[in-house]
């Protein structure tokens, strides 16, 4: 067991195209954001494991000795496996989350306990740890906050338990793990995501682990080697929604109207592939016409997503407002509220961007101009974190 403090971060994401269709085996294109989740893990000797999630007001601890007495053979699955409904029931008993705790908070605690018990039980004694996780990402907005949380936890717990090595070399500010270790982090993070979302495709944890931009289909991940420097406007409608419920809604619609919904998913797949082709071309020889194609793809996909039943009046409003400024938008993530992305063409005057942002803020939305393709899960030295992050994690 390592005795040092670990500081880990992982990015949120936007899905350019392919949300929902990816759950049904189609292609998704995902890109890491420059908004991140940060985790500090500190080994302790007070006999407790504590979890502090200041963004959602969770502060809970458990006696390691009590956890040690638990029969965790229910986690014995041989290989890394998805938690079963029975395991989830047992975890709920162990967690002792107060009855009045909201679903997001409850699931965050369960995912932590699942990963802690499943990863650390291989050691003779469960470790006493103090864990703080703080995020720049809004929760439940479609930006992959739960995946970044699961990725940070998996990376930190696997490193603390010496299942993988601490990649931070002496004097380095930030380091990343080698490919095999990232694969292990991603596998465990996927299990954490399953605790939170039920039946996720795995795209969110994959992009948070690997970073950059990637194409994801049925667990197959390939990095987009060439990505033009895309600028987007990221807008949070602040309408809360549940990814689990939205994914289930699309499945029900597919079962109810297979001949209508299956072609929509096939068309979304084709949109993702065309976008990938276009991005490759743009990286080599960028031209304004290619942005026009990207805008058309955005519009078509947004209509398809509405037809799948994952739109929302606030997202319609976002599309109308940006269209009034000549810009094209679509929802990103599960929809039903949450966030949308707006493509910013390179020929746009900053004044126009500012006017659009102002109009969106006037609707009560939060709005950020952001670039895409940040690094995946990383280990940090304390000096590499800025003041606000250090403060949020209690690094002083
Ligand atoms: C959520 O970010 C993306 C969805 O496609 C769900 C998933 O892929 O698990 C809606």
């Amino acid at each position: 067991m390592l005795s040092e403090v670990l500081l880990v971060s992982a990015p949120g994401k936007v899905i350019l195209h392919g949300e929902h269709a990816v759950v049904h085996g189609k292609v998704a294109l995902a890109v890491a954001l420059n908004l991140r989740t940060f985790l500090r893990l500190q080994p302790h000797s007070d006999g407790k494991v504590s979890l502090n999630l200041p963004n959602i007001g969770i502060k809970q601890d458990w006696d390691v000795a009590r956890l040690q007495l638990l029969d965790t053979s229910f986690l014995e699955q041989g290989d890394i496996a998805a938690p079963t409904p029975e395991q989830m029931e047992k975890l709920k008993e162990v967690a002792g989350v107060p009855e009045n705790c909201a679903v997001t908070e409850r699931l965050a605690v369960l995912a932590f306990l699942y990963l802690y018990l499943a990863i650390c039980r291989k050691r003779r004694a469960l470790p006493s740890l103090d864990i703080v996780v703080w995020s720049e990402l809004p929760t439940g907005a479609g930006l992959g906050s739960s995946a970044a949380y699961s990725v940070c936890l998996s990376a930190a717990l696997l490193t603390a338990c010496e299942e993988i090595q601490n990649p931070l070399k002496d004097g380095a500010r930030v380091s990343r793990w080698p490919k095999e270790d990232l694969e292990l982090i991603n596998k465990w993070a996927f299990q954490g995501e399953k605790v939170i979302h039920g039946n996720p495709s795995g795209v969110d944890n994959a992009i948070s682990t690997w970073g950059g931009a990637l194409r994801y289909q049925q667990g197959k991940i390939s990095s987009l080697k060439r990505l033009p420097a895309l600028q987007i406007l990221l807008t949070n409608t602040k309408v809360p929604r549940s990814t689990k419920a939205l994914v289930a809604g699309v499945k029900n619609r597919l079962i109810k109207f297979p001949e209508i919904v299956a072609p929509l998913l096939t068309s979304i797949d084709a949109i993702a592939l065309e976008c990938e082709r276009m991005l490759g071309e743009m990286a080599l020889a960028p031209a304004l016409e290619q942005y026009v194609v990207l805008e058309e793809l955005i519009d078509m996909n947004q209509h398809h997503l509405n037809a799948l039943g994952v739109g929302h009046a606030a997202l319609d409003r976002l599309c109308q407002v940006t269209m009034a400024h000549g810009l094209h938008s679509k929802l990103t993530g599960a929809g039903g509220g949450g966030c949308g992305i707006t493509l910013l063409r390179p020929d746009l005057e900053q004044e126009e961007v500012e006017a659009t942002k102002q109009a969106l803020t006037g609707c009560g939305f939060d709005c950020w101009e952001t670039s895409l393709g940040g690094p995946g899960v990383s280990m940090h030295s304390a000096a590499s974190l800025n003041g606000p992050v250090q403060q949020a994690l209690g690094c002083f």
Side-chain angles (χ1 to χ4, degrees):
M1 177 74 204
L2 291 185
S3 55
E4 61 207 324
V5 176
L6 303 178
L7 297 166
V8 175
S9 79
K13 60 90 196 19
V14 293
I15 296 188
L16 294 179
H17 292 290
E19 47 273 273
H20 289 290
V22 67
V23 177
H24 303 277
K26 309 296 186 199
V27 168
L29 297 183
V31 188
L33 272 176
N34 56 0
L35 297 172
R36 300 180 79 83
T37 292
F38 296 87
L39 176 150
R40 189 198 65 177
L41 177 152
Q42 190 165 23
H44 256 247
S45 52
D46 67 353
K48 290 196 187 296
V49 57
S50 64
L51 178 69
N52 184 359
L53 309 177
N55 299 78
I56 55 171
I58 289 279
K59 205 166 180 181
Q60 220 178 320
D61 57 47
W62 299 266
D63 273 326
V64 169
R66 201 174 70 81
L67 293 180
Q68 191 77 50
L69 290 178
L70 287 173
D71 175 10
T72 51
S73 56
F74 68 92
L75 296 168
E76 190 109 51
Q77 292 274 347
D79 200 8
I80 300 172
T84 62
E86 295 74 42
Q87 289 177 343
M88 287 296 289
E89 280 315 307
K90 289 216 171 154
L91 269 182
K92 281 180 198 161
E93 280 170 33
V94 175
V97 185
E99 273 309 309
N100 57 0
C101 190
V103 181
T104 314
E105 286 76 349
R106 184 185 297 269
L107 291 173
V109 171
L110 292 183
F112 164 71
L113 271 184
Y114 175 80
L115 291 171
Y116 170 75
L117 291 173
I119 292 174
C120 302
R121 67 190 290 278
K122 292 192 184 143
R123 305 199 64 80
R124 215 159 2 101
L126 287 172
S128 179
L129 301 172
D130 181 41
I131 293 180
V132 186
V133 189
W134 175 81
S135 190
E136 295 169 338
L137 294 157
T139 22
L143 300 183
S145 60
S146 69
Y149 171 70
S150 293
V151 169
C152 280
L153 281 175
S154 303
L157 291 169
L158 286 165
T159 307
C161 292
E162 295 178 285
E163 293 283 319
I164 57 178
Q165 274 196 0
N166 185 344
L168 200 66
K169 303 279 171 292
D170 272 351
R173 290 171 67 81
V174 186
S175 299
R176 304 206 58 226
W177 286 265
K179 183 168 174 278
E180 322 74 75
D181 292 351
L182 290 175
E183 275 164 2
L184 190 63
I185 293 170
N186 188 42
K187 271 191 193 164
W188 277 111
F190 190 28
Q191 304 317 319
E193 274 283 88
K194 284 182 187 163
V195 173
I196 297 171
H197 289 307
N199 181 31
S201 66
V203 64
D204 290 7
N205 48 279
I207 187 65
S208 187
T209 302
W210 298 98
L214 57 83
R215 168 207 233 259
Y216 182 94
Q217 186 172 27
Q218 290 182 316
K220 229 175 122 241
I221 303 163
S222 50
S223 285
L224 302 192
K225 295 282 174 294
R226 292 175 310 219
L227 186 72
L230 288 183
Q231 284 290 119
I232 62 159
L233 212 54
L234 189 59
T235 304
N236 186 1
T237 64
K238 298 196 247 175
V239 174
R241 81 293 178 284
S242 148
T243 299
K244 199 172 180 172
L246 288 152
V247 167
V250 173
K251 187 174 171 196
N252 289 341
R253 207 169 257 201
L254 178 62
I255 292 167
K256 195 167 170 193
F257 306 111
E259 295 191 351
I260 299 169
V261 175
L264 289 174
L265 300 178
T266 306
S267 178
I268 292 176
D269 192 57
I271 289 173
L273 293 176
E274 181 60 14
C275 178
E276 183 185 6
R277 197 180 69 75
M278 205 37 62
L279 292 176
E281 267 186 25
M282 290 167 84
L284 287 177
L288 223 44
E289 303 84 73
Q290 293 152 339
Y291 282 90
V292 176
V293 174
L294 290 189
E295 289 177 339
E296 281 183 280
L297 296 176
I298 285 175
D299 290 344
M300 286 190 281
N301 198 359
Q302 177 60 18
H303 287 301
H304 286 346
L305 288 162
N306 270 324
L308 290 179
V310 297
H312 188 277
L315 290 163
D316 292 342
R317 183 100 188 92
L318 154 63
C319 292
Q320 285 153 7
V321 167
T322 54
M323 186 54 82
H325 291 267
L327 300 176
H328 299 248
S329 309
K330 68 175 273 292
L331 67 84
T332 186
C339 284
I341 50 173
T342 307
L343 184 66
L344 298 176
R345 291 187 312 270
D347 63 324
L348 273 174
E349 298 290 337
Q350 190 57 32
E351 263 173 31
E352 196 58 48
V353 177
E354 289 306 325
T356 312
K357 275 162 74 176
Q358 213 167 9
L360 290 167
T361 322
C363 297
F365 304 153
D366 283 344
C367 200
W368 310 266
E369 224 179 304
T370 180
S371 55
L372 299 174
V377 63
S378 306
M379 183 71 82
H380 296 259
S381 69
S384 73
L385 300 176
N386 65 31
V389 175
Q390 291 187 353
Q391 198 164 4
L393 294 179
C395 284
F396 303 113

